[in-house]
Amino acid sequence: KTNARERQLHAVESKSDLFPFEEIKDFRDSYNTMVHRVTESGRKIEALAFSDTITGLPNRAHLQSVAAPILAGSKHGTPGGIMVLIDLDNFKEVNDLHGHDAGDQLLRVCASQILKVTGGLQVCESKAGSEPLASPVVSRIGGDEFIIMVQGLVDEGEIQAFLDVLR
């Protein structure tokens, strides 16, 4: 059974000999325009539903959908990993003293820095024949809180080094 996210409209190809009447060509063109608009609208809706509007990071709903299979896999021999919660200290004061635009800018800068740190991670490889490891996930879950989820980062020294860089 498929759901609405898996179904797609497809444009009708334009083979001129297939459509002898101008009205049919007009109908085809209108249909193809509608398919394009519906597809683009669907992409925009999904982006709005699963990403944070300020930072562009995945939001809590996206994190939950990505985290569920990773956490389920950890019960079946897939390498563990870490989940880090970041809460920005004194963020409320930034908003109160400098305004929400400054607070939003701070959130964007923090998101960018977290992505930079997680982008350079080297984690242990998955075992032959097992599922590949998920890419690190950085998500803003609300307010001044971020979550980083890194599958395969299990060595205590590597974890400490990552946390030191993150600070």
Side-chain angles (χ1 to χ4, degrees):
K1 184 176 181 179
T2 61
N3 62 33
R5 291 179 76 196
E6 294 168 348
R7 286 188 232 136
Q8 293 182 351
L9 294 173
H10 298 283
V12 177
E13 292 183 28
S14 18
K15 295 181 181 176
S16 59
D17 59 336
L18 193 61
F19 302 112
F21 300 106
E22 201 61 38
E23 292 84 6
I24 294 175
K25 290 178 187 176
D26 291 343
F27 178 77
R28 178 209 56 216
D29 293 344
S30 294
Y31 174 81
N32 288 343
T33 299
M34 181 206 62
V35 167
H36 176 74
R37 288 179 181 166
V38 167
T39 302
E40 283 303 307
S41 295
R43 284 189 193 115
K44 289 177 184 176
I45 289 168
E46 190 162 337
L48 288 170
F50 290 107
S51 64
D52 175 59
T53 57
I54 295 171
T55 63
L57 291 175
N59 62 14
R60 181 188 309 254
H62 186 251
L63 175 68
Q64 289 172 333
S65 70
V66 171
I70 294 172
L71 294 173
S74 66
K75 296 177 184 176
H76 301 96
T78 304
I82 63 169
M83 188 175 280
V84 179
L85 172 66
I86 298 173
D87 182 75
L88 303 179
D89 290 337
N90 304 316
F91 180 74
K92 183 180 180 327
E93 284 78 15
V94 172
N95 275 339
D96 290 347
L97 294 173
H98 303 287
H100 289 279
D101 288 340
D104 291 352
Q105 183 61 30
L106 176 61
L107 290 171
R108 284 189 283 275
V109 168
C110 289
S112 174
Q113 291 301 313
I114 295 168
L115 286 171
K116 197 179 292 184
V117 170
T118 58
L121 277 176
Q122 300 294 323
V123 296
C124 71
E125 297 295 321
S126 59
K127 297 175 187 170
S130 65
E131 292 290 317
L133 297 177
S135 298
V137 177
V138 178
S139 179
R140 178 169 172 240
I141 59 170
D144 60 351
E145 296 177 329
F146 297 84
I147 284 189
I148 303 171
M149 188 169 172
V150 185
Q151 186 182 21
L153 189 59
V154 294
D155 178 76
E156 287 188 37
E158 290 176 359
I159 292 171
Q160 190 58 53
F162 169 69
L163 294 176
D164 290 342
V165 171
L166 194 57
R167 286 192 190 115

